[in-house]
Amino acid sequence: MMHSPRPLVPGRRGPRSTALPFLALGLLAVSLIGACSQKDPADTKTNGPTTGGTTEEPSTPTPSQPKPDPTPSNSEPSEPSTSPSSEPSSGEPQGTGTPEPQQPGPQQPEPQQSGPQQPEPQQPGPEPSATSPDAPGDSGSPTPSGPALSDIDAYFPMVEGATWTYRHTKTDVEPWTEVTTMTAGTGADEGTFVLTDSADRQGDTTVQWWKRVDTSVMRIKREESRAGALRSRTLYDPGFTRFDTRWSVVGFKDSVTYTHTDTDSSGTVMEERTQNFEVLDTAAMVTIDDKTYENCLMVQRERPDTGDIGQYWFAKGIGKIKEIDPDSLTTEELVSYDIP
């Protein structure tokens, strides 16, 4: 038997409807589906507009096509975007699933290594030369800046058989002439040159032994005789300088100390002496009688303990041409010479 529906009575609630909960669930499902259908630019890749105006969903990355990293890198520059949520402009076509090769753009600088850069090794330069002109010299006496005399014979010839004739003059004394002859030493004197002077106004003769020592010519022995009898003998150790090849620059100074041993009839006297030498001129012009000597060396010798001074002039290829003793006012000048 079928029952007829109960009529609704105003003011009285009917039975609860079950349709509303299902309707709410349906609306929630629709909202969730719509939210999932929206694309995130950071997680999806658009393929650009198609002929139908729609876009395709990105395909799942495969090993041959790795999913691009949205983070820009130094090696592959990325295009800047206006905002995270903006879609690509329809006026600029985007690539399809397979990216087209890009035109080579400006090369990005390679990443720099962190930390301080190491300086590149430099090739070693030339070592300073010991003879460089910018090399510091020793202090003391001036060092010749010009060329040194190459040989003693240039201004002081040491030649077997050479002769020099000198004229001696002194105030209130009649001039007299002296002839000096050079011979080579023999026997115990081998290696020396022997200079024999003719007799002076008193009849005394002198014999000197000269020897080359390094850059110098030194007198190592001197004997004085009268009427053939030996009166005195003097030894010089290591020697008394008569010439030095370093006398080539004005202002050059040198000091020589030696032992002077003098023996005569009264006995032997030994003492230490010092002679100071200074170059006063290297281009002196000397005129003797009717002959002029050019480019002569002028050297001054001084004995500091007594103040005794002597001045000497040397001509190239000839030897001593003039000597002055300012204290005794004695002058010695070359009047002739013969050098084989």
Side-chain angles (χ1 to χ4, degrees):
M1 162 174 201
M2 297 182 59
H3 295 278
S4 60
R6 183 181 294 179
L8 297 178
V9 180
R12 185 177 178 181
R13 300 177 61 181
R16 180 177 300 176
S17 175
T18 61
L20 291 177
F22 288 103
L23 180 61
L25 290 174
L27 293 175
L28 179 60
V30 171
S31 299
L32 292 176
I33 294 172
C36 292
S37 64
Q38 295 182 355
K39 298 180 179 59
D40 190 351
D43 295 333
T44 61
K45 178 179 179 181
T46 60
N47 295 326
T50 62
T51 55
T54 60
T55 60
E56 298 179 358
E57 293 295 334
S59 59
T60 303
T62 61
S64 59
Q65 295 181 354
K67 182 179 181 180
D69 188 356
T71 304
S73 64
N74 293 331
S75 59
E76 296 182 1
S78 61
E79 294 291 336
S81 60
T82 57
S83 64
S85 61
S86 62
E87 292 292 335
S89 173
S90 61
E92 298 181 0
Q94 303 295 319
T96 58
T98 302
E100 298 179 359
Q102 299 181 359
Q103 296 295 327
Q107 185 175 2
Q108 297 294 328
E110 297 182 359
Q112 302 292 332
Q113 299 293 333
S114 60
Q117 297 182 354
Q118 297 294 331
E120 297 182 359
Q122 299 182 357
Q123 296 295 331
E127 298 181 358
S129 176
T131 59
S132 170
D134 297 337
D138 297 333
S139 59
S141 301
T143 301
S145 57
L149 303 176
S150 59
D151 193 278
I152 291 175
D153 292 335
Y155 282 84
F156 206 88
M158 307 279 283
V159 180
E160 168 79 19
T163 60
W164 296 266
T165 301
Y166 295 97
R167 179 176 62 237
H168 294 257
T169 58
K170 186 177 181 180
T171 305
D172 301 331
V173 175
E174 185 177 354
W176 57 279
T177 302
E178 174 188 54
V179 179
T180 300
T181 303
M182 177 178 287
T183 58
T186 59
D189 298 324
E190 186 176 359
T192 66
F193 286 87
V194 183
L195 279 79
T196 303
D197 299 333
S198 60
D200 59 14
R201 289 180 295 117
Q202 289 81 24
D204 296 338
T205 60
T206 60
V207 180
Q208 306 176 56
W209 284 260
W210 291 1
K211 185 177 183 179
R212 300 182 188 223
V213 179
D214 296 330
T215 61
S216 305
V217 175
M218 291 187 169
R219 184 168 67 196
I220 60 174
K221 184 170 64 172
R222 181 178 184 271
E223 292 182 348
E224 184 177 328
S225 303
R226 178 175 289 179
L230 181 63
R231 298 185 61 191
S232 66
R233 176 183 289 119
T234 305
L235 302 179
Y236 309 86
D237 185 20
F240 175 33
T241 302
R242 303 302 296 165
F243 186 81
D244 197 316
T245 57
R246 296 176 298 168
W247 296 348
S248 60
V249 175
V250 175
F252 176 83
K253 296 180 180 181
D254 191 23
S255 181
V256 179
T257 300
Y258 58 95
T259 302
H260 181 279
T261 304
D262 191 13
T263 302
D264 57 15
S265 58
S266 61
T268 299
V269 177
M270 180 184 295
E271 61 179 339
E272 187 177 84
R273 293 185 181 182
T274 298
Q275 303 285 350
N276 297 329
F277 298 89
E278 181 179 359
V279 179
L280 302 182
D281 199 348
T282 59
M285 182 177 295
V286 179
T287 300
I288 302 174
D289 298 335
D290 59 349
K291 185 171 181 58
T292 299
Y293 302 90
E294 297 180 348
N295 298 320
C296 298
L297 298 179
M298 180 183 179
V299 180
Q300 177 171 286
R301 173 187 58 81
E302 178 184 8
R303 183 177 168 184
D305 57 337
T306 63
D308 179 33
I309 293 178
Q311 294 178 340
Y312 308 86
W313 286 259
F314 301 90
K316 189 172 183 179
I318 299 174
K320 186 182 72 173
I321 62 173
K322 187 175 182 179
E323 178 181 346
I324 292 179
D325 185 348
D327 295 331
S328 63
L329 300 178
T330 301
T331 301
E332 180 179 341
E333 296 175 305
L334 181 69
V335 293
S336 65
Y337 63 92
D338 181 16
I339 303 176

